[in-house]
Amino acid sequence: MEVQQVKRPTKISFVSQRDIVEKNRSQREHILRVLDQLKVAQQEAAATVDTPQQR
C-alpha cells in the first residue's frame, strides 16, 4: 500500500489594488507609445511607397 503525499498549501501573495491599478496604467501607457511608433512607421512606409525614389 502506497502512502499518498500531502500537498503543501500554495503560498498566496496579496497585491494591493493600488499596485494593480498602477501597473495597468504603466502598461497601457507603454502600449500606447508602441502603437504610436507603429503608426509613424506605417506612415513613413506609405510615404516611401507613394513617392518613387529618384536615383
Side-chain angles (χ1 to χ4, degrees):
M1 187 167 106
E2 246 182 74
V3 178
Q4 288 186 342
Q5 204 169 14
V6 177
K7 285 187 175 181
R8 295 186 181 238
T10 308
K11 183 181 179 195
I12 299 173
S13 59
F14 291 95
V15 181
S16 73
Q17 185 70 25
R18 183 179 299 141
D19 289 343
I20 294 171
V21 169
E22 176 62 29
K23 185 173 182 180
N24 286 346
R25 187 182 61 77
S26 65
Q27 287 179 341
R28 190 180 312 115
E29 288 173 355
H30 176 72
I31 289 171
L32 290 174
R33 280 194 299 273
V34 171
L35 288 175
D36 285 342
Q37 291 170 354
L38 279 173
K39 189 175 181 181
V40 169
Q42 283 179 331
Q43 289 170 347
E44 289 174 356
T48 57
V49 169
D50 291 345
T51 58
Q53 293 180 351
Q54 295 180 1
R55 296 182 182 192

